[in-house]
Amino acid sequence: MENYVNYGGEPIIRFHHKYKSLGEFILERLSDSENLAEIINGVTGNKITRENMKKQSLHLASFMREKIGVKSGDIITILSENRPEFPAILFATYLCGAALNALSAFYTNDELGHALTIVRPQVVFVTEKAAKKIIQVLQKLNLNSRVIVLDVLDDGVQNGVITDKNILKISDIMKSNSISPKINFKIVDENIEKRVAFILLSSGTTGLPKCVQISQKNVLSGFSGTLKIFQDFSKDRDIVLLITPWVHNFGLLSLMRLVVFGCKMVYLPRFEDKLYLQTIEKFKISVCFVAPPLMVFFSKSPIVTKDNVTSLRKLYSGGAPLSREIIESVQKRIPNIEVIYNGYGLTETTTGVTNADSNINKPGSIGFLWRDIWGKVIDPKTGKSLPPNTPGELCVKGDQIMIGYMSNEKATRETIDPQGWLHTGDIAYYDENREYYIVGRFKEVIKYKGFQVAPVELESLLLGHPGVRDSAVIGLRDLVAGELPTAFVVRIPGGTVTEQELLDFVSDRVSNPKRLRGGVRFIQEIPKNNNGKIMRSVLKEYLRTKPKL
């Protein structure tokens, strides 16, 4: 056995040993009378019970098989906000043995074209807002995908598109009685190790996103590793508020786990600060699943008070690093919060690979490895495993690790080595207790006169200033020093903090190479993707065109 390798421990159960397909697992969970799963629209109050989800999923799966010809191995794309039809589309896909390719309805034509050129789906489910756009892209790519619209189209789209034989409406399908009875719907056994379940886009914060292939085995393994925490939500009768987009890894896997493990969930299609707080009050939300920007909202927003979040007991953050300063600020501001979980993972790892509990783990750590996950930190030059408290590249291994990038074998080989270790690109270390800490990303490290400066450290420090609502740090190119640490800062509403105040604030707390020699730029919003990760390429382009204030 290789030295300095850690293991998260044996899982309680290995679902990928018990089930022959993801569809079989889902159908069994939706058929379990003890499964009390319920999905509630936070805007309308409309409910979807576990029984409703089963009926809708079987109906849609039968239609896709019999009327469209969807079969195992096909690809179904969905472009949608969080909405009531989404769970049925998701589960029907797996009942058919197909793979779900989830894309944001806010993608541009070029972004959609990039993804669909690789994926080439048989069916596309699309929200009304993106219908015109997706049809234009499909026509440009000469793809004959069947398009199913998720709501009534406006007159302009109807007149130009709805007459096309390839265009269907979800409402018509769900009302249709022209398909055979669903009681005898047969699920085909799959090779779960090779059968793709998800095709999700990587974050794309530094370039074009890659299409990540997640297998059915990966998904079932992820369910095994996170079983206890989701069972506890169900057992404690928690009501979970989920606002993270379902077309992205964190939101999609959270939706699935909350349903299969029998939890009651409220969702919103998008974030609106007042509506969000009203939803917490109205439904007595006890658990919120959030991305880090929402943790900043809880920490800094003046409209968050003790009175409108009294029901909250737990917060679960994922999708991007969460600073110690934000965790401590939220706990101080909302004293009824019992625990804050901070998960770390990548799209390529299916779900989280570490989990931090604010009551157990040290401040700033990303916690311990999930069950059935192996982890190590390596020297990026030699590839050798490093001992505790020695920063290097974090590598993880286990049954959750993706199959690879679709139509990109080169990138797959660069990410997963021959021994099956996935190289995360994150700089990390672990301590004597095997708690892990993220220092930064290799591609994001700022190199000042030979010294390496991690942006995440300076961003966390800036967020600790009472006048800062959000921050991002990147390197400004310099002929002498190489790069100068440069901050982009969003002031709190009505705030007046100055550049000099922040320069002094940072200088008093860091070593000389980490000082903000590139200065501070005040902006209205830090550009982030839907996972809450900073779009550093946007900020670098800003510095390229406007290097000086």
Side-chain angles (χ1 to χ4, degrees):
M1 174 62 70
E2 187 178 358
N3 291 328
Y4 306 123
V5 173
N6 300 317
Y7 182 52
E10 293 294 311
I12 299 170
I13 185 173
R14 282 189 168 94
F15 289 124
H16 55 288
H17 289 178
K18 183 178 179 182
Y19 294 94
K20 296 178 180 178
S21 73
L22 181 55
E24 179 191 16
F25 172 76
I26 288 170
L27 187 58
E28 180 178 294
R29 296 301 303 139
L30 292 179
S31 301
D32 186 354
S33 60
E34 294 184 4
N35 183 344
L36 302 179
E38 190 173 71
I39 298 178
I40 303 171
N41 186 322
V43 177
T44 66
N46 293 336
K47 298 180 181 180
I48 309 173
T49 64
R50 183 260 310 165
E51 293 89 346
N52 295 147
M53 281 182 267
K54 178 182 176 182
K55 290 178 182 177
Q56 292 172 2
S57 301
L58 283 168
H59 185 98
L60 185 55
S62 295
F63 183 91
M64 289 197 295
R65 259 194 196 172
E66 297 179 22
K67 301 300 180 181
I68 302 180
V70 173
K71 59 187 183 301
S72 277
D74 283 349
I75 296 172
I76 294 172
T77 291
I78 181 169
L79 290 88
S80 172
E81 70 276 15
N82 299 353
R83 55 179 299 122
E85 302 96 335
F86 200 110
I89 297 168
L90 173 65
F91 297 138
T93 297
Y94 301 126
L95 293 177
C96 290
L100 186 82
N101 165 231
L103 302 174
S104 171
F106 298 103
Y107 281 162
T108 65
N109 286 34
D110 288 343
E111 289 170 323
L112 290 174
H114 167 72
L116 295 179
T117 298
I118 298 171
V119 174
R120 307 184 74 82
Q122 280 69 34
V123 181
V124 176
F125 288 90
V126 60
T127 185
E128 150 180 48
K129 297 174 184 176
K132 291 181 180 178
K133 184 165 52 179
I134 193 65
I135 291 165
Q136 290 172 354
V137 173
L138 290 172
Q139 290 173 344
K140 182 177 180 180
L141 298 176
N142 199 27
L143 291 177
N144 195 33
S145 308
R146 296 300 299 272
V147 176
I148 301 175
V149 179
L150 297 183
D151 39 21
V152 178
L153 298 173
D154 59 56
D155 290 340
V157 178
Q158 286 181 23
N159 294 335
V161 173
I162 204 67
T163 54
D164 190 308
K165 64 180 181 180
N166 277 337
I167 309 299
L168 301 170
K169 289 194 290 186
I170 190 74
S171 55
D172 291 341
I173 294 173
M174 300 310 284
K175 292 175 184 176
S176 171
N177 294 316
S178 63
I179 55 179
S180 58
K182 275 70 68 183
I183 295 175
N184 297 319
F185 186 95
K186 181 174 175 55
I187 298 173
V188 179
D189 294 343
E190 304 285 356
N191 181 340
I192 62 172
E193 190 166 345
K194 295 183 178 179
R195 178 64 70 211
V196 178
F198 299 147
I199 302 172
L200 301 174
L201 267 62
S202 61
S203 298
T205 54
T206 57
L208 283 174
K210 296 181 281 291
C211 293
V212 180
Q213 297 179 107
I214 303 297
S215 72
Q216 293 191 12
K217 180 181 179 180
N218 295 153
V219 176
L220 289 169
S221 174
F223 288 163
S224 299
T226 55
L227 173 63
K228 187 178 185 305
I229 193 167
F230 283 85
Q231 281 187 329
D232 286 346
F233 291 153
S234 177
K235 179 184 65 178
D236 295 340
R237 297 292 186 265
D238 280 311
I239 302 176
V240 181
L241 177 55
L242 184 61
I243 194 173
T244 50
W246 295 346
V247 294
H248 292 285
N249 178 276
F250 180 38
L252 186 60
L253 269 296
S254 298
L255 167 65
M256 288 187 71
R257 287 180 294 198
L258 288 167
V259 171
V260 299
F261 294 129
C263 303
K264 187 173 183 179
M265 178 187 73
V266 179
Y267 74 92
L268 291 170
R270 60 190 171 277
F271 176 73
E272 296 175 10
D273 52 8
K274 292 181 180 178
L275 174 62
Y276 189 75
L277 293 175
Q278 289 167 0
T279 302
I280 292 174
E281 282 191 276
K282 179 179 178 180
F283 293 97
K284 294 181 170 51
I285 300 296
S286 54
V287 179
C288 283
F289 276 44
V290 301
L294 262 175
M295 290 294 292
V296 175
F297 168 74
F298 281 125
S299 169
K300 304 273 187 175
S301 174
I303 69 171
V304 177
T305 68
K306 294 179 181 179
D307 295 333
N308 55 25
V309 291
T310 55
S311 60
L312 276 183
R313 298 193 307 116
K314 304 173 185 176
L315 294 176
Y316 203 116
S317 178
L322 191 63
S323 72
R324 177 186 64 185
E325 289 79 8
I326 290 298
I327 292 176
E328 292 175 349
S329 175
V330 172
Q331 288 177 317
K332 182 178 180 180
R333 201 157 186 234
I334 311 176
N336 45 285
I337 294 290
E338 298 171 5
V339 61
I340 295 175
Y341 297 106
N342 181 23
Y344 165 83
L346 311 172
T347 304
E348 290 85 345
T349 64
T350 307
T351 184
V353 291
T354 71
N355 183 56
D357 179 325
S358 62
N359 294 329
I360 299 173
N361 297 106
K362 300 182 185 71
S365 94
I366 57 170
F368 301 110
L369 293 169
W370 278 115
R371 291 176 182 267
D372 215 22
I373 294 291
W374 299 84
K376 64 179 180 179
V377 174
I378 66 167
D379 183 320
K381 294 181 179 179
T382 66
K384 290 184 178 180
S385 301
L386 298 172
N389 300 307
T390 310
E393 183 179 18
L394 175 61
C395 298
V396 293
K397 183 178 181 180
D399 288 328
Q400 292 179 203
I401 304 305
M402 68 170 180
I403 296 174
Y405 298 114
M406 192 172 188
S407 301
N408 197 338
E409 293 183 7
K410 180 177 182 292
T412 301
R413 289 194 303 270
E414 291 172 349
T415 304
I416 303 176
D417 67 26
Q419 288 72 45
W421 288 98
L422 184 141
H423 294 244
T424 66
D426 284 318
I427 308 170
Y429 69 92
Y430 63 94
D431 62 20
E432 295 83 355
N433 296 323
R434 299 184 180 181
E435 283 189 58
Y436 282 79
Y437 302 78
I438 296 294
V439 178
R441 283 192 65 78
F442 281 104
K443 292 181 180 179
E444 296 171 359
V445 167
I446 299 166
K447 296 179 180 179
Y448 171 76
K449 291 186 175 179
F451 293 94
Q452 294 193 349
V453 180
V456 67
E457 178 185 355
L458 296 176
E459 289 160 1
S460 297
L461 186 59
L462 286 165
L463 284 172
H465 190 286
V468 175
R469 183 170 69 86
D470 206 356
S471 68
V473 175
I474 63 173
L476 173 64
R477 294 186 66 180
D478 182 82
L479 292 177
V480 176
E483 291 180 306
L484 304 176
T486 305
F488 288 83
V489 167
V490 179
R491 294 184 176 99
I492 61 169
T496 58
V497 63
T498 66
E499 178 183 22
Q500 192 59 50
E501 285 180 74
L502 293 179
L503 293 176
D504 294 341
F505 179 79
V506 171
S507 295
D508 290 344
R509 291 164 173 79
V510 299
S511 59
N512 184 61
K514 298 178 183 179
R515 293 177 180 176
L516 295 174
R517 287 180 167 81
V520 177
R521 272 78 164 166
F522 291 103
I523 57 178
Q524 294 298 311
E525 202 71 36
I526 301 294
K528 296 180 181 180
N529 65 16
N530 286 327
N531 283 337
K533 293 181 180 178
I534 297 169
M535 301 293 288
R536 298 184 193 275
S537 58
V538 175
L539 297 176
K540 287 181 179 179
E541 178 62 19
Y542 180 92
L543 284 187
R544 189 186 70 80
T545 56
K546 299 179 181 179
K548 295 182 180 180
L549 290 174

